[in-house]
Amino acid sequence: MQKILTTCIYCGCGCGLYLTEDKGIITGAYPSIKHPVSKGALCVKGWNSYEFVNSLDRLTHPLIKENGKFRKATWDEAIKLIAEKFKAFSAESGADSLAFLSSAKTTNEENYLMMKLARAVFKTNNVDHCARLCHASTVAGLAATFGSGAMTNSINEFQEADCYLITGSDTTSQHPLIGSRIINSVLNRGAKLIIVDPRKIELSKYAAVNLQQKNGTDVAWVNGMMHVIIKEGLQDEAYIQARTEGFAELKELVGEYTPEYVEKITTIPKEKLIEAARLYAVTKKAMIVYSMGITQHTTGVDNVKSLANLAMLTGHVGFPSTGVNPLRGQNNVQGACDLGALANVFSGYQKVTDAAAREKFEKAWGVSGLPANIGLTVTEIITAAGGGKVKGLYIMGENPMISDPDQNHVRKCLEKTEFLVVQDIFLTDTAQYADVILPGASYAEKDGTFTNTERRCERVRKAIEPLGEAKADWRILCDVAVACGYNGMNFSHPSEVMEEIRSVTPIYGGMRYDRLEPHGLQWPCPTLDHPGTPYLHKDKFSKGKGTFMPRPFIEPRENTDEEFNFILSTGRIYWHWHTRTLTGRTSTLEREAPVPYVEIHSEDAAEMGIKNKEKVRVTSRRGQIELQALITDRVVRKSCFIPFHYREAAANVLTINAIDPIAKIPEYKVCAVKVEKL
Ligand SMILES: Nc1nc2c(c(=O)[nH]1)N[C@H]1C(S)=C(S)[C@@H](COP(=O)(O)OP(=O)(O)OC[C@H]3O[C@@H](n4cnc5c(=O)[nH]c(N)nc54)[C@H](O)[C@@H]3O)O[C@H]1N2
Ligand SMILES: Nc1nc2c(c(=O)[nH]1)N[C@H]1C(S)=C(S)[C@@H](COP(=O)(O)OP(=O)(O)OC[C@H]3O[C@@H](n4cnc5c(=O)[nH]c(N)nc54)[C@H](O)[C@@H]3O)O[C@H]1N2
Ligand code: SF4
Ligand SMILES: [Mo]
């Protein structure tokens, strides 16, 4: 057997693991002992990250739809058809009649090439990816307050913090290797944990203070904590003076948010709010850790800005083990953002609206006329494709049929899309609507890099040849560009793509492949002799002074009423990954959680006469699903939680397509539903 060191395909922890290979088949995975994140451990998904690779239903050749049915096609045919169609749409209806969804499951090099294809070849900024559904609020909110939207600290620094304020992150399930560091820190070093989550999570057991708020009321409790801190004089005056601006406005706004007022909005008892505020403010090494419970709201950016305010108020940013840490979800969602697979920026967050940036990329790519208008975002692209404004849609490594909000709306849009290309490793629910399906190679079959949640850019290494006629995504994208007559994408290896990335992307300037051995480098890494950056905002913020951006509390878009009387929140579980295309094909994981379910509070269940595991119907204003009831005290009364992994009872049939006005992220965490016994 061969063993090949690579990076886990699942979460943003970015654990290092070895794949074992025998006669062209991946037979197993085990952890790297020397890797700075995994240190000899993996979670259950990492240990089982190999089985789907050799799944018998992998896509192994291109498919073209004719008379409603897919037929086998050659690569030449498929690529030629795409080039013809896309060029024709562009000529007839303009560049913005095309749109591209990139993928946080694919490599940095592939994301760079996808945005280059959209921008250099087709002259549109309609390119986006699942970060829009995920940490778009973070990118916008932290860029505005701190100047950088990334996690401020490194994963190993979690071991040294003395207080963690964790909100909207089910850390042990979703970022297990970070969760385990937090538990160790509490048990071995006496670190204190403050959990603010409407649902009880595994970490709640270890918490010094547990606050269970009403869903969608985060701005209120954060403002409340700041109110208490200022009232008791616990703010860091010297830090505020030296490193920030806008404190007077903040002080004025949070003046209203007395613990009594906050209790009314959030249901958090005022004594507990005060206790949490004191503990966070007086602990020197204190970290805020958050994820989707904060970002996936119509007030997502407000939530993020409020947490940033809290950290600046107490001087808790810019030091080791002290900062604001948005845990990035997908294995390479940090990288997909860094490399510019976003509607408004080139790689390295260089704005498309900036003439100097456009000129720089025009020169590097040998093109003219790069578009200056900000492109459409994920949910806007799907809606535009349904309405005929977007005619050619190219989706690589995303499954919006299951992952986008309001499934009935998405289905209608995909049905109406004039020409849809889907590039995936499996025939997904989204691919069913495609005109052309292209088989990509999995992470085990290609070289490249992923960038994890601590900004560590690390290698992905080819262990086997692509299955059947499948091709690495970077190669396919180059083939499409060449077929369209563009000669700036004739790459023969991802390391060459990285050389180009380095030359146009200052934060990746020093990331040459030989320097990424063995375990990668953390950006910013501007030059070939730079060692990388473990934590951000040392001495001063990326943007100079940190800016307080006080925000008032605003209600979620959809509230409960007499008919739709439960709040629904959606999310994930330890065993499964998003739309279950990979974990559903992994026997150990599938065995643990094979069926969809809804968590309901035991007293609500008793009132409705619902027994555990009985089937119930959950209905929102957009649709209904039937699934098992899981009776629990994890959720509070009159609220329920559904994991969105299951196509058989997709949570996104119910969710609302209401978005944050700045980040355009959907409100996956709050909508109104009714629950009925069948
Ligand atoms: N096993 C597994 N791990 C994963 C993934 C997966 O699919 N499976 N996906 C990855 C990805 S892409 C992401 S983005 C991350 C997401 O990781 P997380 O954000 O940790 O996961 P979620 O389950 O979406 O939601 C987290 C928490 O938000 C809470 N919450 C709900 N509503 C609110 C609210 O109004 N306010 C607050 N403060 N909290 C609220 C929920 O109760 C839940 O505990 O996980 C990554 N890791
Ligand atoms: N209700 C609800 N909905 C949500 C969320 C929620 O909390 N609640 N969370 C949102 C969040 S945070 C996220 S990140 C999104 C995720 O949404 P998606 O990104 O749509 O979900 P995935 O299932 O990860 O889709 C990845 C696809 O890539 C394919 N793939 C894997 N490897 C490769 C490869 O190497 N090449 C190619 N071409 N394809 C590959 C997989 O087969 C799969 O089809 O879901 C969002 N949707
Ligand atoms: S913690 Fe994340 S990166 Fe590490 S093994 Fe588990 S899924 Fe993979
Ligand atoms: Mo995500």
Side-chain angles (χ1 to χ4, degrees):
M1 271 192 224
Q2 303 286 322
K3 54 171 196 172
I4 300 94
L5 178 64
T6 192
T7 304
C8 180
I9 183 69
Y10 286 114
C11 89
C13 288
C15 293
L17 55 80
Y18 288 94
L19 289 176
T20 54
E21 177 271 342
D22 191 19
K23 300 189 189 73
I25 298 207
I26 302 292
T27 54
Y30 67 96
S32 154
I33 290 175
K34 291 185 187 144
H35 190 276
V37 179
S38 30
K39 295 186 170 170
L42 292 174
C43 81
V44 72
K45 290 179 296 299
W47 279 107
N48 289 283
S49 59
Y50 63 96
E51 196 176 324
F52 72 83
V53 171
N54 289 102
S55 177
L56 293 175
D57 63 348
R58 277 278 305 275
L59 287 169
T60 51
H61 46 74
L63 296 166
I64 290 179
K65 198 181 262 167
E66 268 171 10
N67 307 319
K69 280 216 168 108
F70 288 114
R71 67 156 174 92
K72 216 169 159 170
T74 65
W75 274 106
D76 275 355
E77 260 182 300
I79 300 281
K80 225 167 123 191
L81 178 62
I82 296 166
E84 266 168 25
K85 285 278 186 187
F86 274 49
K87 283 199 305 198
F89 291 135
S90 174
E92 285 158 23
S93 316
D96 287 341
S97 65
L98 305 176
F100 301 80
L101 293 185
S102 199
S103 172
K105 278 267 159 276
T106 65
T107 64
N108 285 325
E109 293 76 2
E110 289 162 344
N111 278 284
Y112 177 82
L113 292 176
M114 186 56 138
M115 77 106 181
K116 187 172 174 182
L117 182 70
R119 293 187 163 124
V121 181
F122 292 114
K123 306 285 160 46
T124 179
N125 286 321
N126 291 343
V127 54
D128 214 39
H129 76 283
C130 72
R132 188 66 56 194
L133 314 175
C134 187
H135 271 295
S137 327
T138 298
V139 174
L142 292 190
T145 47
F146 296 168
S148 165
M151 194 160 117
T152 60
N153 299 83
S154 296
I155 292 172
N156 282 332
E157 290 173 46
F158 277 72
Q159 286 159 208
E160 307 295 326
D162 296 319
C163 173
Y164 307 84
L165 168 56
I166 299 180
T167 181
S169 156
D170 186 357
T171 326
T172 55
S173 297
Q174 264 67 265
H175 294 88
L177 269 276
I178 294 178
S180 69
R181 280 182 170 66
I182 295 171
I183 292 177
N184 285 342
S185 200
V186 171
L187 296 182
N188 301 335
R189 298 177 43 253
K192 296 283 191 292
L193 207 53
I194 303 164
I195 303 284
V196 194
D197 196 303
R199 216 168 130 245
K200 283 192 194 116
I201 55 173
E202 180 72 19
L203 283 178
S204 309
K205 289 185 208 153
Y206 302 88
V209 194
N210 260 310
L211 310 182
Q212 245 178 315
Q213 80 277 41
K214 188 176 161 203
N215 297 61
T217 61
D218 294 282
V219 168
W221 67 259
V222 183
N223 281 348
M225 275 180 73
M226 292 192 279
H227 175 100
V228 173
I229 289 167
I230 294 173
K231 191 172 165 210
E232 302 194 358
L234 300 175
Q235 71 272 29
D236 186 339
E237 282 293 348
Y239 186 96
I240 295 168
Q241 286 291 327
R243 297 193 51 174
T244 68
E245 58 192 16
F247 177 60
E249 291 88 336
L250 178 86
K251 192 171 169 184
E252 195 188 327
L253 181 116
V254 303
E256 281 174 47
Y257 289 81
T258 60
E260 293 75 18
Y261 178 51
V262 171
E263 180 168 343
K264 267 194 208 130
I265 301 173
T266 63
T267 74
I268 295 172
K270 63 177 188 212
E271 304 75 31
K272 282 196 159 183
L273 184 81
I274 295 169
E275 193 186 345
R278 287 179 184 156
L279 179 57
Y280 175 75
V282 303
T283 314
K284 202 154 176 246
K285 284 192 173 178
M287 259 191 190
I288 295 176
V289 178
Y290 75 87
S291 198
M292 296 302 99
I294 287 295
T295 60
Q296 290 176 333
H297 293 278
T298 45
T299 56
V301 176
D302 290 351
N303 293 348
V304 171
K305 285 177 174 168
S306 302
L307 289 176
N309 293 340
L310 175 62
M312 289 189 288
L313 179 69
T314 48
H316 283 157
V317 200
F319 307 98
S321 305
T322 311
V324 178
N325 291 297
L327 304 181
R328 306 302 298 256
Q330 293 262 33
N331 56 314
N332 196 34
V333 68
Q334 181 65 55
C337 292
D338 298 345
L339 275 309
L342 291 170
N344 59 336
V345 287
F346 296 108
S347 60
Y349 306 96
Q350 300 170 82
K351 295 194 169 79
V352 297
T353 48
D354 173 8
R358 288 198 306 278
E359 200 180 311
K360 169 179 166 178
F361 279 89
E362 284 173 356
K363 230 180 183 172
W365 292 343
V367 297
S368 58
L370 287 180
N373 61 312
I374 292 176
L376 298 174
T377 60
V378 172
T379 59
E380 292 172 334
I381 286 174
I382 298 290
T383 302
K389 232 181 106 205
V390 162
K391 297 184 186 315
L393 173 56
Y394 194 138
I395 302 179
M396 167 174 83
E398 291 207 336
N399 190 8
M401 206 28 219
I402 308 294
S403 59
D404 275 15
D406 192 355
Q407 186 180 78
N408 289 320
H409 168 74
V410 176
R411 177 185 297 106
K412 280 183 211 141
C413 291
L414 292 178
E415 275 168 359
K416 286 196 199 143
T417 304
E418 205 161 321
F419 186 71
L420 175 63
V421 179
V422 172
Q423 181 170 313
D424 205 291
I425 62 172
F426 290 108
L427 210 154
T428 61
D429 288 80
T430 303
Q432 307 284 359
Y433 297 92
D435 297 283
V436 180
I437 299 178
L438 303 176
S442 81
Y443 83 118
E445 296 146 39
K446 59 192 176 191
D447 285 307
T449 54
F450 294 156
T451 301
N452 78 352
T453 186
E454 57 172 2
R455 298 167 277 104
R456 180 183 300 280
C457 174
E458 51 187 341
R459 282 294 316 275
V460 178
R461 296 179 185 84
K462 182 171 167 175
I464 56 169
E465 289 301 322
L467 261 56
E469 292 172 28
K471 284 189 193 182
D473 294 280
W474 62 268
R475 202 175 276 280
I476 303 172
L477 297 172
C478 291
D479 289 350
V480 173
V482 170
C484 292
Y486 177 62
N487 62 12
M489 267 169 68
N490 294 314
F491 296 100
S492 56
H493 190 266
S495 58
E496 297 169 10
V497 184
M498 185 54 95
E499 285 306 292
E500 181 172 316
I501 292 172
R502 287 200 318 110
S503 71
V504 291
T505 316
I507 53 175
Y508 277 65
M511 307 276 190
R512 204 173 57 200
Y513 266 36
D514 60 333
R515 293 198 74 216
L516 299 178
E517 296 296 339
H519 300 305
L521 288 166
Q522 288 171 280
W523 68 254
C525 178
T527 54
L528 284 173
D529 54 7
H530 194 284
T533 308
Y535 66 92
L536 301 179
H537 316 301
K538 184 171 184 266
D539 304 326
K540 69 176 178 55
F541 283 93
S542 303
K543 66 188 276 289
K545 288 216 166 184
T547 308
F548 284 109
M549 295 202 156
R551 302 300 306 157
F553 167 69
I554 302 170
E555 296 272 352
R557 185 63 54 84
E558 192 175 66
N559 266 309
T560 51
D561 58 17
E562 236 166 74
E563 186 184 2
F564 298 100
N565 59 344
F566 274 74
I567 293 181
L568 168 69
S569 161
T570 62
R572 340 168 127 63
I573 57 173
Y574 181 51
W575 310 101
H576 277 302
W577 194 264
H578 297 158
T579 67
R580 216 159 120 254
T581 56
L582 313 181
T583 52
R585 290 177 171 87
T586 304
S587 49
T588 310
L589 302 175
E590 184 61 8
R591 183 188 68 202
E592 296 295 327
V595 292
Y597 62 85
V598 50
E599 290 180 358
I600 305 175
H601 193 274
S602 53
E603 287 168 34
D604 290 327
E607 255 177 28
M608 291 186 283
I610 295 168
K611 293 194 203 67
N612 199 32
K613 296 207 170 177
E614 191 174 323
K615 256 207 172 162
V616 296
R617 181 185 301 129
V618 183
T619 311
S620 78
R621 292 188 174 86
R622 292 150 296 278
Q624 60 179 51
I625 56 176
E626 289 176 10
L627 70 182
Q628 273 190 5
L630 180 78
I631 297 174
T632 170
D633 66 348
R634 268 200 292 262
V635 290
V636 291
R637 289 209 61 183
K638 292 287 178 233
S639 79
C640 56
F641 171 83
I642 303 179
F644 80 100
H645 307 297
Y646 300 90
R647 60 186 299 280
E648 299 82 352
N652 280 324
V653 169
L654 306 171
T655 52
I656 184 169
N657 186 3
I659 57 179
D660 179 284
I662 299 172
K664 314 266 176 97
I665 192 171
E667 191 142 65
Y668 288 122
K669 290 290 184 266
V670 191
C671 72
V673 295
K674 63 180 164 189
V675 179
E676 294 163 292
K677 187 181 161 79
L678 286 180

